[in-house]
Amino acid sequence: MLKVNGVSIPTPKSFKVNILDLDGESNRNAKGELIRDRIAVKRKLECEWAPLTMSQISTILNAVKDVYFQVEYPDPMAGATITKTFYVGDRTAPMYKNVNGEILWQGLQMDFIEK
């Protein structure tokens, strides 16, 4: 479902696409009407994963280590799978449990924010 720089990463258990308007200077005129300077429409992808093995979480975190990267994802506004340039926000990776020496990570969360 998601590819980062052309490499498939594990499918998140939760995936939300936020469509954001970025405004420049917006003001109200004498009639009280908003004069809006929308300069861009951007995306923010909110992702959370189910339990991951050490190998799986490492694959995801290493895929997003660069300052900017390409993400291929299903976009509801485009009505298709598209590719855009993103950067990553904070990454949260709580340890879930240690099963016979195998560490599992529960609830890795991160946001991809369009450049």
Side-chain angles (χ1 to χ4, degrees), residues 59-110:
T59 296
I60 296 168
L61 291 172
N62 280 299
V64 300
K65 69 181 178 187
D66 293 335
V67 175
Y68 299 109
F69 47 85
Q70 298 292 307
V71 177
E72 181 180 310
Y73 69 98
D75 186 276
M77 190 171 188
T81 298
I82 62 174
T83 302
K84 290 184 173 275
T85 302
F86 289 85
Y87 63 93
V88 69
D90 293 341
R91 283 123 4 239
T92 304
M95 192 169 101
Y96 175 48
K97 61 183 173 180
N98 186 330
V99 179
N100 298 326
E102 170 102 27
I103 294 174
L104 294 178
W105 299 88
Q106 172 70 38
L108 171 65
Q109 294 178 332
M110 66 181 78

Side-chain angles (χ1 to χ4, degrees), residues 8-27:
S8 293
I9 60 172
T11 301
K13 77 172 185 177
S14 174
F15 177 75
K16 296 178 188 175
V17 177
N18 296 286
I19 301 169
L20 313 168
D21 288 339
L22 296 182
D23 288 349
E25 188 172 325
S26 297
N27 294 300

Side-chain angles (χ1 to χ4, degrees), residues 49-66:
W49 283 265
L52 297 165
T53 65
M54 195 70 98
S55 175
Q56 290 172 317
I57 199 167
S58 178
T59 296
I60 296 168
L61 291 172
N62 280 299
V64 300
K65 69 181 178 187
D66 293 335

